[in-house]
Amino acid sequence: MAKDKILITGGTGYIGSHTVVELFNAGYEPIIIDNLSNSNIGVLDGIKAITGHTVIYENIDCKDYNSLERFLEKHPEIVAIAHFAASKSVSESVENPLLYYRNNIVSLLNLLQLMPKFNIKNIVFSSSCTVYGQPDKLPVTEESPIKPATSPYGSTKQMCETILQDYAFANKDINVILLRYFNPIGAHPSGEIGELPNGVPNNLLPYITQTAAGIRKELSVFGNDYNTPDGSCIRDYINVVDLAKAHVVALNRVIEGNNKKNIEIFNLGTGSGLSVLEIVTAFEKATGVKLPYKIVGRRPGDIEKVWADTSYANKELGWKATETLEDTLRSAWNWQQKLVEKNLATTNG
C-alpha cells in the first residue's frame, strides 16, 4: 500500500528535519522543499543515517509561485502540508522587517492558493508563542488574548494565523491546525541532526554550545533587570523531538479526519518556565563544561517571560513533552561535538 505523502516546507531546517524523521518513523513519506537560506544540505545525510530513507528533496523558495506549482504537479499524491519555511529571528526581524513580511507571508499565500488546485485539504502551520506578546496572565492557554506583537517576526506569525483562520472560514473542506510552540532546544539523540544556523546563532542553545566548544568567546545574556527571580528572561524550553512528535500527531489528526473543527489551535511546550541563567547553570551541570558569559543590555523585541499551559494539547492530541531538560541539553552538546569532529575531519582531510 502506498504511504501518504506529506510536503514539509523548510524540511532541512531545525524543527522540519526532526519532523521528517518522526514522519518516517510513523509510516508516512515526507518530501522536502527548502531554499537552504538558513539550513544545510548535509541535513539530508543525517536524516538518511537515522531512518535509512533517502528523502525526496528540491531546492525551492516558497515565495516562487511557479516553482512551487511545478513541484506540486510532480507530486499529486500529497495529502497534507507541514509549513515550517519562514525566517525566524526576533532580533533580525527588527533590523530587516521587509524580509520577514515578504518571506513569511508570501510563502503561506502561495501554498494556500495552490492547495485547492492539487486537492490538498490539510495544513499544519508552524506558529509561535510570540503571538501572545507579553501575556498578562501566566501560563498562557489557547484562549489567552493575542497581544500587539513585540517584533516584526511576531507580527508575521499573527498575520499568518489570521490568514489561515479567514481561509478556513471561507473553505470548509480545508483542515488547519495552528501549532503555537514555545522554545525548541536540543537535538536528535543520535547526534545526526540538530540546530545548525547559518552564521551567528540567534537562539540561545546553539550560542551556548558554540561558546562551550570555543567557537564563540562568550555568551551574551540579554538583560538581568527583568521582573524575574534572577533578572533574566524566562521561556518554556521544549525538546525538539517532543515537538516533532506533536507535528506527526497533528498531521495524523487532520488526515484521519479526527479534528473537531476545520481550524484548531494547540500550545506546545513543557508547561514550565526557565530563565536564561537557569539554562546556563543546567547546561554546565549536564555537561560538566564551564560556560563563559557576560550580562549585556536588553535585546529589542524580547519579552520578559512566557510559558505554556499545555493541558489542552495533552488531552486533545494525547501528546505530552517527555524528554528531561538534562537529556535535552546533553543532546545539544553531543550534536555540537559531532559538528566539531566533522569540521576537523573535513579540514584535515
Side-chain angles (χ1 to χ4, degrees), residues 258-271:
N258 295 327
N259 46 316
K260 292 188 174 166
K261 295 182 290 187
N262 81 322
I263 182 155
E264 296 182 307
I265 300 169
F266 298 100
N267 283 342
L268 301 180
T270 64

Side-chain angles (χ1 to χ4, degrees), residues 135-151:
D136 296 324
K137 250 175 85 177
L138 288 165
V140 288
T141 71
E142 289 80 357
E143 304 301 317
S144 295
I146 302 295
K147 291 291 207 66
T150 58
S151 69

Side-chain angles (χ1 to χ4, degrees), residues 198-214:
N198 291 339
V200 180
N202 282 297
N203 291 347
L204 178 62
L205 245 289
Y207 212 109
I208 283 177
T209 58
Q210 288 185 17
T211 304

Side-chain angles (χ1 to χ4, degrees), residues 237-239 242-243 268-271 310 314 319-324:
Y237 294 96
I238 177 171
N239 183 288
D242 278 335
L243 193 56
L268 301 180
T270 64
T310 61
N314 300 157
W319 165 90
K320 197 174 192 332
T322 58
E323 298 295 328
T324 67

Side-chain angles (χ1 to χ4, degrees), residues 98-289:
L98 291 188
L99 168 77
Y100 275 67
Y101 288 116
R102 184 178 296 113
N103 200 26
N104 295 4
I105 293 167
V106 173
S107 297
L108 177 65
L109 290 174
N110 285 345
L111 282 169
L112 293 179
Q113 238 176 317
L114 286 164
M115 280 172 66
K117 182 172 181 182
F118 295 97
N119 199 32
I120 301 168
K121 297 190 181 300
N122 307 301
I123 183 165
V124 170
F125 178 67
S126 166
S127 192
S128 163
C129 65
T130 57
V131 300
Y132 297 116
Q134 179 57 67
D136 296 324
K137 250 175 85 177
L138 288 165
V140 288
T141 71
E142 289 80 357
E143 304 301 317
S144 295
I146 302 295
K147 291 291 207 66
T150 58
S151 69
Y153 165 71
S155 290
T156 66
K157 288 299 181 186
Q158 290 182 352
M159 288 176 190
C160 286
E161 283 202 2
T162 300
I163 290 164
L164 283 158
Q165 285 167 336
D166 290 343
Y167 187 75
F169 181 79
N171 298 274
K172 301 299 183 194
D173 62 336
I174 297 290
N175 300 307
V176 179
I177 291 185
L178 308 177
L179 295 179
R180 292 175 180 163
Y181 32 86
F182 286 67
N183 287 58
I185 59 170
H188 194 270
S190 65
E192 294 291 346
I193 56 173
E195 191 166 8
L196 182 59
N198 291 339
V200 180
N202 282 297
N203 291 347
L204 178 62
L205 245 289
Y207 212 109
I208 283 177
T209 58
Q210 288 185 17
T211 304
I215 297 163
R216 309 280 163 202
K217 184 180 158 212
E218 61 192 357
L219 170 73
S220 296
V221 175
F222 296 105
N224 66 342
D225 57 349
Y226 287 101
N227 181 27
T228 61
D230 62 22
S232 65
C233 289
I234 290 176
R235 298 288 182 271
D236 186 337
Y237 294 96
I238 177 171
N239 183 288
V240 68
V241 176
D242 278 335
L243 193 56
K245 287 175 178 172
H247 284 80
V248 177
V249 173
L251 284 160
N252 190 55
R253 183 176 174 90
V254 287
I255 291 166
E256 297 294 325
N258 295 327
N259 46 316
K260 292 188 174 166
K261 295 182 290 187
N262 81 322
I263 182 155
E264 296 182 307
I265 300 169
F266 298 100
N267 283 342
L268 301 180
T270 64
S272 60
L274 291 165
S275 73
V276 173
L277 291 173
E278 283 176 317
I279 289 287
V280 168
T281 304
F283 179 83
E284 290 179 336
K285 191 177 167 196
T287 63
V289 180

Side-chain angles (χ1 to χ4, degrees), residues 14-135:
Y14 177 41
I15 305 166
S17 60
H18 286 81
T19 302
V20 166
V21 166
E22 296 307 321
L23 283 167
F24 273 127
N25 291 345
Y28 288 106
E29 186 184 349
I31 57 179
I32 294 174
I33 57 174
D34 200 308
N35 67 355
L36 304 179
S37 61
N38 194 31
S39 60
N40 187 294
I41 194 69
V43 168
L44 300 178
D45 296 330
I47 291 169
K48 186 173 183 181
I50 297 165
T51 65
H53 293 283
T54 301
V55 64
I56 294 169
Y57 161 79
E58 273 195 45
N59 187 321
I60 288 174
D61 188 327
C62 289
K63 296 195 303 295
D64 184 341
Y65 183 91
N66 293 333
S67 295
L68 203 50
E69 186 175 34
R70 284 194 295 272
F71 180 82
L72 291 171
E73 277 167 358
K74 285 190 282 186
H75 299 281
E77 314 91 343
I78 291 169
V79 297
I81 299 170
H83 183 41
F84 294 99
S87 301
K88 61 170 190 168
S89 160
V90 167
S91 54
E92 185 188 45
S93 79
V94 173
E95 291 159 18
N96 194 350
L98 291 188
L99 168 77
Y100 275 67
Y101 288 116
R102 184 178 296 113
N103 200 26
N104 295 4
I105 293 167
V106 173
S107 297
L108 177 65
L109 290 174
N110 285 345
L111 282 169
L112 293 179
Q113 238 176 317
L114 286 164
M115 280 172 66
K117 182 172 181 182
F118 295 97
N119 199 32
I120 301 168
K121 297 190 181 300
N122 307 301
I123 183 165
V124 170
F125 178 67
S126 166
S127 192
S128 163
C129 65
T130 57
V131 300
Y132 297 116
Q134 179 57 67

